[in-house]
Amino acid sequence: MQAYMLFLSAFGFIPVKALDKCQSQKFSDFARALGPVLSPGASINFPGTDEFANATTRFSAYGAPDFAVTVDVATEGDVDNVLPVSASAHPLLGPGLGGGHGWNQGRYGLGLDQIVEANLVLGDGSRIVVSEDSHADLFWGLRGAGHNFGIYTFTQDKLEALFGLLDSFVADGAQPVELRHWVTFMRVPEIDPIHAVLATWIVYEGTPERASPYTSKMEALGPATTTFNTTAYPGIVVLMGMDRGAVSCLENGDHVLRFPIDVRGYNLTAHRAAYTIFDEVSGAYPALSGATMLNEGYSVRAVQAVPADNTAYPDRFNNLLLSASFRVKPNAAAEDATGGMDMDQIAIEAGLKIRRTLFEGGGSPDLYTYVNYGLGLETLENYYGYEDWRLARLRELKAKYDPDRKFSFYAPIE
Ligand SMILES: *[C@@H]1O[C@H](CO)[C@@H](O)[C@H](O)[C@H]1NC(C)=O
Ligand SMILES: *[C@@H]1O[C@H](CO)[C@@H](O)[C@H](O)[C@H]1NC(C)=O
Ligand SMILES: *[C@@H]1O[C@H](CO)[C@@H](O)[C@H](O)[C@H]1NC(C)=O
């Protein structure tokens, strides 16, 4: 098992949330006074500076908080000094705290399964070490509460054949650790000017010969385009179009609205219906033409090897993460002359409808929505699980470690 230490200073900055203009001014004055108590490597950054802009740039600007000032901390001691003066602090929340679902989860488990110890500063400024041996209760809560390569593009008429094949790879959790698939519904007019296509990545860890049982079946389906590449692990993000600067990682003020749902397998009837909703809405509004729907199919072997109650992460039993994802320009309605319609609202209605359709086809009574992708419309059970004891345990932790609710900007445990 890989292990790494998680230090607060590694998060780089503590944003301080502004309440109103007067309090902003008070904060600015306070932050100036804070200067002398911080370590020499720390800095206090105000709006209008590059440092402030970088520290507050977000993947999605939807529902973003306002910040009056950011403090770039250099030592853990700086964190103690900053936190007690902030009215509210953004969670120090890396993807690992919400799950850390990813390419290598079949081999190593979730990102949060790699955490062996964390140095935390609580809302009251006290500093604690959290591990199996120290504050084991909070250690549990912290974890849950963030090749060879073929790219195929299929036209939509192949949807049932493609997802039927992928479902056989998933095999209800038995997908080999070497194999990962990823399908994105997206509009590529050069391939299909009318309907969204199914862009499919097969990422196989091993030789082309070992991958051929999977790749030959993909080819037999008759893709519109096929590309093969070989890369080392760090190259995957480039081939997936997820490196820094790629459109999916832009931090340009767009609203990114995602509608995650975990499912055990692909239900072809429900998947076709979800595709149709996606295709219609992304085709009808130019402002939504950059929409995607992600179908993330990684092995779950090491994820499911960890007992369900070991960490706060509630959903180790579903095999796939599906999420409609709409990238909306905040001023899209005006630009597109769409009659002033609220594009966020149109995307939200379509996204919820897609999720409901997938949920109804999933045959499960409980909707699980990966907390790292959530929009904020979800329930606590959707994020943190349906067993009464889970939420009770998280509420106890909240009362014990964050009684003043300083870390409650997103998906707060109430
Ligand atoms: C801000 O981010 C950009 C892009 O990553 C980087 O080039 C620049 O150096 C950063 N500026 C500061 C002051 O950190
Ligand atoms: C992947 O392979 C194709 C040819 O099949 C090539 O055009 C493309 O540049 C390669 N991509 C990368 C990132 O190496
Ligand atoms: C698949 O989805 C359809 C439509 O929601 C539903 O009627 C059907 O029962 C689902 N099939 C399974 C096996 O759950």
mmCIF file of all heavy atoms in Angstrom, residues 208-237:
data_model
loop_
_atom_site.group_PDB
_atom_site.id
_atom_site.type_symbol
_atom_site.label_atom_id
_atom_site.label_comp_id
_atom_site.label_asym_id
_atom_site.label_seq_id
_atom_site.Cartn_x
_atom_site.Cartn_y
_atom_site.Cartn_z
ATOM 1 N N PRO A 208 0.014 -4.687 -25.720
ATOM 2 C CA PRO A 208 -1.129 -4.707 -26.647
ATOM 3 C C PRO A 208 -1.731 -6.107 -26.779
ATOM 4 O O PRO A 208 -2.957 -6.244 -26.925
ATOM 5 C CB PRO A 208 -0.510 -4.261 -27.977
ATOM 6 C CG PRO A 208 0.696 -3.461 -27.585
ATOM 7 C CD PRO A 208 1.210 -4.075 -26.315
ATOM 8 N N GLU A 209 -0.893 -7.143 -26.672
ATOM 9 C CA GLU A 209 -1.409 -8.523 -26.776
ATOM 10 C C GLU A 209 -2.364 -8.825 -25.620
ATOM 11 O O GLU A 209 -3.421 -9.405 -25.806
ATOM 12 C CB GLU A 209 -0.254 -9.545 -26.761
ATOM 13 C CG GLU A 209 0.652 -9.515 -27.980
ATOM 14 C CD GLU A 209 1.506 -8.250 -28.066
ATOM 15 O OE1 GLU A 209 1.985 -7.766 -27.007
ATOM 16 O OE2 GLU A 209 1.673 -7.722 -29.192
ATOM 17 N N ARG A 210 -1.947 -8.408 -24.412
ATOM 18 C CA ARG A 210 -2.805 -8.662 -23.253
ATOM 19 C C ARG A 210 -4.102 -7.858 -23.346
ATOM 20 O O ARG A 210 -5.125 -8.263 -22.803
ATOM 21 C CB ARG A 210 -2.077 -8.305 -21.944
ATOM 22 C CG ARG A 210 -0.755 -8.998 -21.714
ATOM 23 C CD ARG A 210 -0.880 -10.372 -21.083
ATOM 24 N NE ARG A 210 -1.779 -10.399 -19.940
ATOM 25 C CZ ARG A 210 -1.386 -10.526 -18.680
ATOM 26 N NH1 ARG A 210 -0.121 -10.628 -18.388
ATOM 27 N NH2 ARG A 210 -2.271 -10.571 -17.708
ATOM 28 N N ALA A 211 -4.037 -6.691 -24.005
ATOM 29 C CA ALA A 211 -5.233 -5.845 -24.117
ATOM 30 C C ALA A 211 -6.175 -6.331 -25.218
ATOM 31 O O ALA A 211 -7.356 -5.965 -25.239
ATOM 32 C CB ALA A 211 -4.813 -4.402 -24.408
ATOM 33 N N SER A 212 -5.665 -7.179 -26.112
ATOM 34 C CA SER A 212 -6.434 -7.489 -27.325
ATOM 35 C C SER A 212 -7.791 -8.159 -27.081
ATOM 36 O O SER A 212 -8.721 -7.938 -27.851
ATOM 37 C CB SER A 212 -5.588 -8.291 -28.319
ATOM 38 O OG SER A 212 -5.268 -9.525 -27.745
ATOM 39 N N PRO A 213 -7.973 -8.961 -26.002
ATOM 40 C CA PRO A 213 -9.325 -9.501 -25.799
ATOM 41 C C PRO A 213 -10.376 -8.395 -25.662
ATOM 42 O O PRO A 213 -11.532 -8.591 -26.025
ATOM 43 C CB PRO A 213 -9.206 -10.282 -24.479
ATOM 44 C CG PRO A 213 -7.754 -10.596 -24.343
ATOM 45 C CD PRO A 213 -7.014 -9.481 -25.017
ATOM 46 N N TYR A 214 -9.942 -7.241 -25.147
ATOM 47 C CA TYR A 214 -10.874 -6.122 -24.967
ATOM 48 C C TYR A 214 -10.923 -5.250 -26.219
ATOM 49 O O TYR A 214 -11.985 -4.909 -26.722
ATOM 50 C CB TYR A 214 -10.474 -5.283 -23.746
ATOM 51 C CG TYR A 214 -10.321 -6.153 -22.513
ATOM 52 C CD1 TYR A 214 -9.067 -6.509 -22.031
ATOM 53 C CD2 TYR A 214 -11.451 -6.671 -21.877
ATOM 54 C CE1 TYR A 214 -8.932 -7.343 -20.929
ATOM 55 C CE2 TYR A 214 -11.321 -7.506 -20.783
ATOM 56 C CZ TYR A 214 -10.062 -7.844 -20.311
ATOM 57 O OH TYR A 214 -9.937 -8.679 -19.239
ATOM 58 N N THR A 215 -9.737 -4.917 -26.739
ATOM 59 C CA THR A 215 -9.712 -3.993 -27.883
ATOM 60 C C THR A 215 -10.313 -4.640 -29.137
ATOM 61 O O THR A 215 -10.963 -3.955 -29.928
ATOM 62 C CB THR A 215 -8.278 -3.504 -28.159
ATOM 63 O OG1 THR A 215 -7.414 -4.632 -28.303
ATOM 64 C CG2 THR A 215 -7.777 -2.624 -27.026
ATOM 65 N N SER A 216 -10.136 -5.945 -29.297
ATOM 66 C CA SER A 216 -10.698 -6.575 -30.502
ATOM 67 C C SER A 216 -12.227 -6.514 -30.463
ATOM 68 O O SER A 216 -12.882 -6.336 -31.500
ATOM 69 C CB SER A 216 -10.202 -8.016 -30.642
ATOM 70 O OG SER A 216 -10.617 -8.761 -29.520
ATOM 71 N N LYS A 217 -12.785 -6.631 -29.252
ATOM 72 C CA LYS A 217 -14.255 -6.558 -29.146
ATOM 73 C C LYS A 217 -14.753 -5.134 -29.431
ATOM 74 O O LYS A 217 -15.830 -4.953 -29.990
ATOM 75 C CB LYS A 217 -14.713 -7.007 -27.760
ATOM 76 C CG LYS A 217 -14.578 -8.513 -27.588
ATOM 77 C CD LYS A 217 -15.075 -8.949 -26.224
ATOM 78 C CE LYS A 217 -14.861 -10.450 -26.060
ATOM 79 N NZ LYS A 217 -14.403 -10.814 -24.701
ATOM 80 N N MET A 218 -13.948 -4.147 -29.010
ATOM 81 C CA MET A 218 -14.338 -2.760 -29.296
ATOM 82 C C MET A 218 -14.333 -2.541 -30.811
ATOM 83 O O MET A 218 -15.243 -1.942 -31.368
ATOM 84 C CB MET A 218 -13.359 -1.769 -28.663
ATOM 85 C CG MET A 218 -13.248 -1.826 -27.159
ATOM 86 S SD MET A 218 -14.771 -1.433 -26.291
ATOM 87 C CE MET A 218 -14.887 0.283 -26.659
ATOM 88 N N GLU A 219 -13.291 -3.036 -31.469
ATOM 89 C CA GLU A 219 -13.195 -2.835 -32.920
ATOM 90 C C GLU A 219 -14.311 -3.537 -33.670
ATOM 91 O O GLU A 219 -14.812 -3.024 -34.670
ATOM 92 C CB GLU A 219 -11.827 -3.304 -33.421
ATOM 93 C CG GLU A 219 -10.763 -2.270 -33.108
ATOM 94 C CD GLU A 219 -9.365 -2.821 -33.252
ATOM 95 O OE1 GLU A 219 -9.020 -3.225 -34.371
ATOM 96 O OE2 GLU A 219 -8.660 -2.874 -32.230
ATOM 97 N N ALA A 220 -14.718 -4.704 -33.147
ATOM 98 C CA ALA A 220 -15.780 -5.460 -33.807
ATOM 99 C C ALA A 220 -17.107 -4.695 -33.812
ATOM 100 O O ALA A 220 -17.987 -4.974 -34.626
ATOM 101 C CB ALA A 220 -15.953 -6.818 -33.123
ATOM 102 N N LEU A 221 -17.231 -3.698 -32.924
ATOM 103 C CA LEU A 221 -18.472 -2.911 -32.886
ATOM 104 C C LEU A 221 -18.528 -1.867 -33.997
ATOM 105 O O LEU A 221 -19.564 -1.230 -34.192
ATOM 106 C CB LEU A 221 -18.621 -2.197 -31.533
ATOM 107 C CG LEU A 221 -18.712 -3.049 -30.274
ATOM 108 C CD1 LEU A 221 -18.892 -2.164 -29.041
ATOM 109 C CD2 LEU A 221 -19.876 -4.026 -30.374
ATOM 110 N N GLY A 222 -17.410 -1.655 -34.702
ATOM 111 C CA GLY A 222 -17.414 -0.700 -35.806
ATOM 112 C C GLY A 222 -17.372 0.751 -35.388
ATOM 113 O O GLY A 222 -18.292 1.527 -35.694
ATOM 114 N N PRO A 223 -16.327 1.164 -34.669
ATOM 115 C CA PRO A 223 -16.222 2.582 -34.287
ATOM 116 C C PRO A 223 -16.050 3.482 -35.504
ATOM 117 O O PRO A 223 -15.531 3.041 -36.538
ATOM 118 C CB PRO A 223 -14.971 2.628 -33.401
ATOM 119 C CG PRO A 223 -14.189 1.403 -33.745
ATOM 120 C CD PRO A 223 -15.174 0.369 -34.216
ATOM 121 N N ALA A 224 -16.464 4.742 -35.373
ATOM 122 C CA ALA A 224 -16.273 5.704 -36.464
ATOM 123 C C ALA A 224 -14.804 6.096 -36.565
ATOM 124 O O ALA A 224 -14.301 6.359 -37.659
ATOM 125 C CB ALA A 224 -17.138 6.939 -36.220
ATOM 126 N N THR A 225 -14.094 6.170 -35.446
ATOM 127 C CA THR A 225 -12.649 6.440 -35.451
ATOM 128 C C THR A 225 -11.988 5.593 -34.366
ATOM 129 O O THR A 225 -12.614 5.239 -33.362
ATOM 130 C CB THR A 225 -12.308 7.915 -35.128
ATOM 131 O OG1 THR A 225 -12.601 8.159 -33.749
ATOM 132 C CG2 THR A 225 -13.076 8.895 -35.983
ATOM 133 N N THR A 226 -10.712 5.280 -34.583
ATOM 134 C CA THR A 226 -9.925 4.528 -33.597
ATOM 135 C C THR A 226 -8.527 5.125 -33.536
ATOM 136 O O THR A 226 -7.943 5.431 -34.575
ATOM 137 C CB THR A 226 -9.770 3.044 -34.016
ATOM 138 O OG1 THR A 226 -11.063 2.488 -34.201
ATOM 139 C CG2 THR A 226 -9.016 2.238 -32.974
ATOM 140 N N THR A 227 -7.997 5.303 -32.345
ATOM 141 C CA THR A 227 -6.617 5.760 -32.165
ATOM 142 C C THR A 227 -5.975 4.895 -31.091
ATOM 143 O O THR A 227 -6.609 4.629 -30.063
ATOM 144 C CB THR A 227 -6.590 7.227 -31.658
ATOM 145 O OG1 THR A 227 -7.396 8.014 -32.517
ATOM 146 C CG2 THR A 227 -5.176 7.780 -31.648
ATOM 147 N N PHE A 228 -4.727 4.459 -31.323
ATOM 148 C CA PHE A 228 -3.987 3.733 -30.286
ATOM 149 C C PHE A 228 -2.780 4.534 -29.862
ATOM 150 O O PHE A 228 -2.102 5.117 -30.712
ATOM 151 C CB PHE A 228 -3.487 2.382 -30.813
ATOM 152 C CG PHE A 228 -4.541 1.333 -30.817
ATOM 153 C CD1 PHE A 228 -5.120 0.924 -32.007
ATOM 154 C CD2 PHE A 228 -4.969 0.756 -29.623
ATOM 155 C CE1 PHE A 228 -6.109 -0.034 -32.019
ATOM 156 C CE2 PHE A 228 -5.958 -0.203 -29.623
ATOM 157 C CZ PHE A 228 -6.535 -0.604 -30.820
ATOM 158 N N ASN A 229 -2.500 4.589 -28.607
ATOM 159 C CA ASN A 229 -1.284 5.225 -28.109
ATOM 160 C C ASN A 229 -0.734 4.385 -26.963
ATOM 161 O O ASN A 229 -1.475 3.680 -26.295
ATOM 162 C CB ASN A 229 -1.557 6.625 -27.562
ATOM 163 C CG ASN A 229 -2.057 7.570 -28.626
ATOM 164 O OD1 ASN A 229 -3.232 7.568 -28.983
ATOM 165 N ND2 ASN A 229 -1.167 8.386 -29.155
ATOM 166 N N THR A 230 0.567 4.509 -26.749
ATOM 167 C CA THR A 230 1.184 3.880 -25.590
ATOM 168 C C THR A 230 1.802 4.992 -24.770
ATOM 169 O O THR A 230 2.432 5.892 -25.322
ATOM 170 C CB THR A 230 2.279 2.888 -26.034
ATOM 171 O OG1 THR A 230 1.658 1.921 -26.865
ATOM 172 C CG2 THR A 230 2.915 2.208 -24.835
ATOM 173 N N THR A 231 1.605 4.939 -23.475
ATOM 174 C CA THR A 231 2.129 6.022 -22.639
ATOM 175 C C THR A 231 2.448 5.499 -21.245
ATOM 176 O O THR A 231 1.903 4.472 -20.830
ATOM 177 C CB THR A 231 1.106 7.173 -22.539
ATOM 178 O OG1 THR A 231 1.652 8.216 -21.735
ATOM 179 C CG2 THR A 231 -0.200 6.708 -21.905
ATOM 180 N N ALA A 232 3.311 6.213 -20.552
ATOM 181 C CA ALA A 232 3.506 5.943 -19.125
ATOM 182 C C ALA A 232 2.359 6.601 -18.372
ATOM 183 O O ALA A 232 1.635 7.427 -18.930
ATOM 184 C CB ALA A 232 4.844 6.509 -18.666
ATOM 185 N N TYR A 233 2.204 6.239 -17.102
ATOM 186 C CA TYR A 233 1.057 6.700 -16.329
ATOM 187 C C TYR A 233 0.803 8.212 -16.413
ATOM 188 O O TYR A 233 -0.333 8.634 -16.659
ATOM 189 C CB TYR A 233 1.207 6.243 -14.866
ATOM 190 C CG TYR A 233 0.035 6.618 -14.008
ATOM 191 C CD1 TYR A 233 -1.184 5.956 -14.145
ATOM 192 C CD2 TYR A 233 0.137 7.647 -13.083
ATOM 193 C CE1 TYR A 233 -2.271 6.311 -13.371
ATOM 194 C CE2 TYR A 233 -0.954 8.007 -12.311
ATOM 195 C CZ TYR A 233 -2.153 7.343 -12.459
ATOM 196 O OH TYR A 233 -3.232 7.698 -11.703
ATOM 197 N N PRO A 234 1.858 9.055 -16.257
ATOM 198 C CA PRO A 234 1.568 10.509 -16.275
ATOM 199 C C PRO A 234 1.014 10.998 -17.619
ATOM 200 O O PRO A 234 0.384 12.061 -17.673
ATOM 201 C CB PRO A 234 2.944 11.159 -16.009
ATOM 202 C CG PRO A 234 3.772 10.066 -15.407
ATOM 203 C CD PRO A 234 3.271 8.784 -15.995
ATOM 204 N N GLY A 235 1.235 10.235 -18.680
ATOM 205 C CA GLY A 235 0.749 10.656 -19.997
ATOM 206 C C GLY A 235 -0.750 10.451 -20.183
ATOM 207 O O GLY A 235 -1.343 10.969 -21.141
ATOM 208 N N ILE A 236 -1.370 9.701 -19.277
ATOM 209 C CA ILE A 236 -2.797 9.401 -19.451
ATOM 210 C C ILE A 236 -3.626 10.672 -19.470
ATOM 211 O O ILE A 236 -4.512 10.842 -20.308
ATOM 212 C CB ILE A 236 -3.304 8.466 -18.326
ATOM 213 C CG1 ILE A 236 -2.636 7.101 -18.456
ATOM 214 C CG2 ILE A 236 -4.814 8.303 -18.406
ATOM 215 C CD1 ILE A 236 -3.092 6.111 -17.408
ATOM 216 N N VAL A 237 -3.316 11.598 -18.577
ATOM 217 C CA VAL A 237 -4.130 12.811 -18.516
ATOM 218 C C VAL A 237 -4.059 13.595 -19.826
ATOM 219 O O VAL A 237 -5.029 14.245 -20.216
ATOM 220 C CB VAL A 237 -3.750 13.743 -17.330
ATOM 221 C CG1 VAL A 237 -4.200 13.141 -16.022
ATOM 222 C CG2 VAL A 237 -2.282 14.079 -17.308
#
